[in-house]
Structures are given as structure tokens and as C-alpha cells.
């Protein structure tokens, strides 16, 4: 079975690599700024649309994994920042408070001409310490938050002000790896394999 | 002011590097298997003894940061594993359950001949999913857990079975970086600087 990761995120690529599986990367071109009736529906639909686009380009047996992550404060979605000034504004809003990170993962798979879809959506709470002006300057200068929802990355220098989290850490990095492993095992078992390692080797 | 990290852990080195500060590494030779009356006292004393040893070798103005991390399940301390079989036993005990990770950080500093000490001890709860036999084999084979308390690392392949955490993530990786930054700022302010960046530049 071919496995395709429908995301250009180096963090998702690294996380999926931990499974030991070989996979290709084919990013979708789907526009990330579309919105649905609420944030949960939005993140699910964005992940769905990205995966669907890549899945429809494939023929034969294949599994496509796609994902979208949003950062939410007071019900408002924080995207990737437009520029450093915008990043600074976002980070000051998140400073000293708890926000939500929601990631949805879509699994599109076709095996013997039968196409199926599964999805999981996981929410993690993240609390920032108060971001002092010197830490803000230090952080913005690294550029680490430039391409990230909420203007921060949790896997490196963002840890300078991340006080605590409640829930899946991997979910904040890119996607909820341990939950994805459970779904991979479920898919494997639908086809009579014991687990995903056995299934993908076959 | 010279800054010394009294730890050989590449993870602590990476975390402290995020502060932007220059520092030396001088690991202590203190024996990690000593025990005190309870786990919290043990982790604090281990961090203290490591830092004290390195601090006493220095002269002049200096700040030494040391740390120790323990993994606790049902009040029992999980050390680094003796071998892969031991690692497997530990991981099966942690499988599907919540455990505690406790890290203590000691700050020994001397400025104008006045020596001082501060410490922080931070607890994080980590919940594992059930570790399936194939994931166990995959994980052990990577050797990632060989040199780590509790036989796993949370910053890479350990995420295959880490379900959720409650508290500081950096604390589980190596030490609680955002709490350390707060202490560094406090020390800086004791000496009339606004923050650690200004203090260490002076």
C-alpha cells in the first residue's frame, strides 16, 4: 500500500517518520483561509479538503493522510501571521493565557477499489507564561513563528514561554501521532492484518 | 558572568541554548543512584549535589545550572534502564497509565564573592496509550530510551505512545525552560538588571 502525506510541514513529516513507515509527500494546494460554521468544523473541513484533493489524483491502492491545525483564543482563529508585527500582536494576545490548539487528521484510503475515509480531531490546551518584552524580541528575531498558526512553534524556542499543556503534545507540533498510530492499526485490522507494521509490509 | 550547565544531556543543552545565552558544559560526576526520604527530596538533592560539585570548582563570578529528572509510577522511581530487557519491563509498566515526571533545577551563583542558591522543582503528568507489541519492538530497536529515565524520550519516537501530558512539556524533555527563564530574570533583577539578556551581556 502506498502511503502519502498530504502536507509540506517538516514537523508532520518528522512525526510520521517515527512510525517507521515509508511515505511520499504530496502537498495540497487547497486554500487554508476558508471558514465553516464553527472552528471545529473549519479545521475538520480544511483537513478533509486537503486530503481529498491529493487522494483524487491517485489511482490504485493508496492511503492519504492530511491534517490542519488551528489556534483558538476566545473562539477566534489565529492563522499564520502576515508579518512580524502581526506575529507580535498575536503573541501578546496569547501571553499569560490559555488557548486551544485543534488539529484534525483525515485518512483517505482505497484498497481493491473500495474508497474509505476516517478522521480524528484532537484538542490540546496550551498556557503561556507572561511574555516579557526581551523574550518577545528574542523570539521574533529567530523567525521561528513566521510560518506557524498562532505565530509560535512549541518544539523549539516557543518553549521559552510555554508554561504548560493539557493534552497531546504532538498535536501542537503537527498532528497527534499516537492517535494516528491507533487509526493506522484499525485500518490494518479492517484488512485482516494484526497491526500497521504487518499491513504496510504486505 | 560565566554561565555553566552542569549536565551532559544534549536535550538540556539544546533547551538552554534557546535562551540565546552562551554557556559552557561541565558535567558532574555525582552518583545518580543515591536516595533520600522521598522522591521529591531525592530529585532535589540529586540536582543540588550535581550543581554543588561543579560550582565548587569555579572561582570568580559564575552561575551554575544543574538538574535531575526522575520518573515515578506508584511512588516508585524509574531510573535509566540497565538494558533493553529492563527497558521493555519499564515501558510495559507505564503502558496505558499515567505517571509523573519530576525535574529539579538548582542555580548556584556567585557575584562579587557572595554565593547564593535557588531551586525549582516541577512535576508533569504523562499518560501513555496502551503500547502494542509491534510498537514496543519498533521503539526498543531505535535505542532512543536506552539512556533515559523511564526508558523513553518524549521529544521524538516516544510520541508514538505518549497520549497526553498535563504540565510543562520541556520538563519531561530535560528541564522546565520557561520556569528557568523566570528564575534567570529574577537573578538579573537582584543585581539591578531589567532581565537576563541585559544582565549576561554586561
Amino acid at each position: 500500500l502506498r502511503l502519502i502525506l498530504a502536507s509540506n510541514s517538516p514537523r508532520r513529516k518528522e512525526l510520521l517518520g517515527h512510525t517507521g513507515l515509508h511515505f511520499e509527500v504530496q502537498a495540497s494546494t487547497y486554500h487554508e483561509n476558508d471558514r465553516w460554521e464553527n472552528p471545529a468544523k473549519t479545521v475538520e473541513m480544511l483537513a478533509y479538503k486537503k486530503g481529498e484533493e491529493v487522494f483524487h489524483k491517485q489511482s490504485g491502492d493508496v492511503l492519504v493522510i492530511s491534517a490542519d491545525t488551528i489556534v483558538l483564543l476566545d473562539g477566534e482563529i489565529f492563522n499564520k501571521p502576515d508579518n512580524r508585527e502581526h506575529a507580535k500582536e498575536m503573541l501578546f494576545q496569547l501571553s499569560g493565557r490559555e488557548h486551544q490548539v485543534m488539529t484534525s487528521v483525515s485518512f483517505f484510503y482505497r484498497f481493491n477499489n473500495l474508497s474509505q475515509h476516517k478522521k480524528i480531531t484532537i484538542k490540546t490546551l496550551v498556557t503561556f507564561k507572561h511574555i516579557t518584552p526581551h523574550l518577545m524580541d528574542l523570539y521574533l528575531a529567530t523567525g521561528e513563528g513566521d510560518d506557524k498558526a498562532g505565530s509560535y512553534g512549541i518544539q523549539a524556542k516557543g518553549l521559552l514561554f510555554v508554561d504548560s499543556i493539557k493534552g497531546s503534545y504532538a498535536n501542537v507540533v503537527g498532528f497527534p501521532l499516537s492517535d494516528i498510530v491507533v487509526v493506522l492499526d484499525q485500518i490494518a485490522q479492517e484488512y485482516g492484518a494484526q497491526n500497521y507494521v504487518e499491513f504496510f509490509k504486505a
Side-chain angles (χ1 to χ4, degrees), chain A:
Chain A
L1 194 70
R2 282 168 66 216
L3 176 58
I4 297 173
L5 173 63
S7 170
N8 258 333
S9 156
R11 298 164 293 279
R12 290 191 185 128
K13 199 175 160 187
E14 190 186 339
L15 286 168
L16 191 60
H18 293 332
T19 59
L21 295 174
H22 292 281
F23 57 91
E24 303 160 45
V25 173
Q26 284 190 37
S28 118
T29 58
Y30 191 78
H31 198 277
E32 289 199 335
N33 292 325
D34 285 354
R35 292 291 174 264
W36 279 261
E37 59 265 37
N38 60 53
K41 183 76 184 170
T42 292
V43 72
E44 284 185 13
M45 286 304 293
L46 288 172
Y48 186 94
K49 293 280 187 183
K50 289 181 190 177
E52 189 185 36
E53 183 198 306
V54 173
F55 184 63
H56 284 160
K57 288 181 188 160
Q58 317 302 323
S59 54
D61 295 349
V62 68
L63 165 59
V64 172
I65 299 180
S66 61
D68 192 74
T69 298
I70 57 170
V71 166
L72 268 178
L73 182 75
D74 301 329
E76 192 199 335
I77 296 179
F78 282 47
N79 281 315
K80 295 172 186 171
D82 299 328
N83 51 48
R84 292 273 162 91
E85 204 45 50
H86 187 206
K88 191 171 184 171
E89 267 173 49
M90 276 193 211
L91 290 172
F92 269 128
Q93 283 182 272
L94 300 173
S95 174
R97 297 193 56 191
E98 179 186 271
H99 63 270
Q100 293 183 18
V101 179
M102 223 185 267
T103 298
S104 185
V105 184
S106 262
F107 303 78
F108 291 88
Y109 53 111
R110 187 191 303 116
F111 201 66
N112 294 333
N113 294 317
L114 174 66
S115 291
Q116 299 188 73
H117 173 254
K118 288 188 196 297
K119 70 177 173 198
I120 45 171
T121 304
I122 305 281
K123 192 169 77 176
T124 305
L125 301 176
V126 179
T127 304
F128 277 14
K129 283 202 193 297
H130 169 71
I131 308 177
T132 56
H134 69 284
L135 266 198
M136 179 67 85
D137 292 344
L138 190 82
Y139 188 72
L140 288 173
T142 67
E144 184 183 278
D146 289 356
D147 63 338
K148 297 186 180 71
S151 309
Y152 76 97
I154 199 169
Q155 79 286 1
K157 295 191 174 61
L159 291 175
L160 287 166
F161 41 77
V162 171
D163 179 58
S164 63
I165 77 166
K166 210 167 152 184
S168 166
Y169 165 77
N171 197 45
V172 186
V173 175
F175 50 30
L177 183 63
S178 62
D179 302 276
I180 287 174
V181 164
V182 171
V183 175
L184 291 176
D185 278 343
Q186 283 170 353
I187 293 173
Q189 284 154 16
E190 289 173 6
Y191 292 103
Q194 294 266 346
N195 55 63
Y196 79 82
V197 174
E198 188 189 306
F199 182 58
F200 280 93
K201 268 191 189 143

